[in-house]
Amino acid sequence: MLADFISYLIFGNHCKYCGELIPFGETLCNECETDLPRITGEKCKLCGAGKDRCSCKKTKMRYDGICAPFYYEKTIETAIRKYKFADKPYIAKVLATDMAETVKADFADIKFDFIDYIPFSKSQNKKRKYNPAGEIAKEMSKILGIPVCNVLTKPFETETQHISGAFYRKGNVAGAYDTLDNMDLQGKTVLLVDDIKTTGSTLNECARVLKIAGAERVYCAVAALTAKEKTKEKQ
Ligand SMILES: [Zn+2]
Ligand SMILES: [Zn+2]
């Protein structure tokens, strides 16, 4: 606590999502606090959205479940954009802390053998300073005490997800991912980590190849997911 106060005197205290200066002892600025798009209430186990915003129509995926602390909007969308594209790696720890809490709550009965994350291809690795999913996975590993084992690989290039349309996105990941050679994942339960889930096709494909390599169950954890707000019926 004293160390925190000394650090406050030197560096000030910053909102954990947007970085604004805030009073000592607080973790969020007022704006982030009111705009935090937390997923609350009963959740759909298949898509991770709140039951009030689920529109997955119970579509079965290759993974066995998914959880996320937030919707990809407002404060969290801004924070993740900064994290991914403005070289703000410290946000990984903030997101990982929220994700770890959600994993503990939503997957309380599940014993994970290891954490894996959505890998980059060679050219993505060259272009970017860090893999956002990889940094989050490392931080979650520290909090949850589960080792990271990156058995997933991405031998083929695909279009960047956020610039290609949903229609194209659905098909463009099939066959893009693989696992390291001679990996025997027989009977293993994997926690698969990524930053955002939109259609879920990347997580689905990675879960598929992990299962081909023998994994018995694959559960996903993402920082945020997209889910349309249902328009309220007119009274
Ligand atoms: Zn803030
Ligand atoms: Zn759903």
Side-chain angles (χ1 to χ4, degrees), residues 138-173:
K138 278 183 228 160
E139 294 296 337
M140 284 181 78
S141 166
K142 285 185 220 163
I143 302 167
L144 296 170
I146 305 166
V148 176
C149 189
N150 191 206
V151 303
L152 283 164
T153 59
K154 191 180 182 191
F156 302 105
E157 306 293 337
T158 50
E159 292 286 316
T160 310
Q161 291 258 329
H162 72 280
I163 54 169
S164 55
F167 178 75
Y168 187 52
R169 215 182 282 157
K170 275 211 159 133
N172 78 354
V173 292

Side-chain angles (χ1 to χ4, degrees), residues 8-82:
Y8 165 68
L9 292 176
I10 302 169
F11 303 108
N13 186 32
H14 298 266
C15 168
K16 64 177 186 168
Y17 292 116
C18 73
E20 282 288 305
L21 275 171
I22 50 170
F24 179 69
E26 291 181 13
T27 51
L28 291 178
C29 72
N30 286 337
E31 221 175 354
C32 286
E33 180 124 44
T34 25
D35 270 354
L36 204 63
R38 200 173 274 287
I39 303 174
T40 51
E42 211 186 325
K43 293 177 187 175
C44 167
K45 288 197 171 77
L46 294 170
C47 71
K51 285 249 161 114
D52 54 334
R53 288 177 68 168
C54 156
S55 55
C56 72
K57 300 191 181 90
K58 303 213 167 107
T59 309
K60 273 291 275 174
M61 295 297 229
R62 301 294 180 124
Y63 45 81
D64 300 273
I66 181 161
C67 73
F70 303 113
Y71 291 113
Y72 186 58
E73 54 201 42
K74 299 175 190 167
T75 304
I76 294 299
E77 182 173 353
T78 314
I80 293 179
R81 278 181 191 280
K82 263 194 218 163

